[in-house]
Amino acid sequence: MWRVGVLLIGFLALITAPFGYCAASWAYVQTQREAAGIQSLEWDTALADSAQTRAEEIARLEALDHSGAAATSAVFYGDRPYVCEILGTQPTTTQDYAIGYGWVTSPAHRDCALGANYRRAAMGVTMGKDGWVYEAMWLTE
């Protein structure tokens, strides 16, 4: 009986693992915004499903390619599309905030993550067949 419990715990850890990474990336970006004196991002439910679809798309492709966003995951916020997309991937053997850290230390991604004009955002996360965690963050004004 204990083996069933261990297997169940292992399975639950596997399917929930990506969400911990996503939460850590979100928290890291928020902490860096606060440290820079920038307003925290608000979670935007209008972007959430599409950000999740985008994370699943890049995991399926096993590639961080921004070109597919407009064709396969386009989201319009009122009459405007989302403003900024940040993508990331990492093996599960690295720190859980590694993607958020990468975004903040990369100049182009930092402009999105710490952009003072961005007020709302959502993230999607999934585990790829390659065993890596894939995240997508979409930000809007």
Side-chain angles (χ1 to χ4, degrees):
M1 186 63 159
W2 68 272
R3 289 183 186 176
V4 172
V6 169
L7 288 173
L8 180 60
I9 290 170
F11 176 73
L12 290 174
L14 179 65
I15 63 171
T16 60
F19 299 104
Y21 287 86
C22 184
S25 292
W26 178 267
Y28 191 83
V29 167
Q30 296 286 45
T31 299
Q32 295 303 304
R33 288 177 69 91
E34 183 179 310
I38 302 166
Q39 179 180 352
S40 295
L41 294 167
E42 294 178 31
W43 183 262
D44 191 320
T45 56
L47 295 177
D49 287 342
S50 294
Q52 180 62 37
T53 298
R54 186 70 171 124
E56 292 167 4
E57 176 182 55
I58 61 173
R60 187 176 60 257
L61 297 172
E62 294 182 5
L64 303 180
D65 180 4
H66 292 287
S67 65
T72 61
S73 306
V75 168
F76 286 85
Y77 202 91
D79 60 347
R80 296 174 294 130
Y82 69 90
V83 178
C84 190
E85 174 183 72
I86 309 174
L87 306 175
T89 187
Q90 70 181 60
T92 56
T93 56
T94 58
Q95 294 291 333
D96 57 0
Y97 60 85
I99 292 176
Y101 175 82
W103 290 340
V104 171
T105 57
S106 164
H109 295 94
R110 182 181 180 86
D111 288 347
C112 284
L114 302 187
N117 57 320
Y118 301 122
R119 303 280 187 212
R120 297 183 305 276
M123 293 181 67
V125 61
T126 194
M127 183 78 72
K129 289 181 185 178
D130 57 3
W132 284 45
V133 175
Y134 288 80
E135 292 180 7
M137 180 181 235
W138 284 8
L139 301 96
T140 192
E141 298 171 344

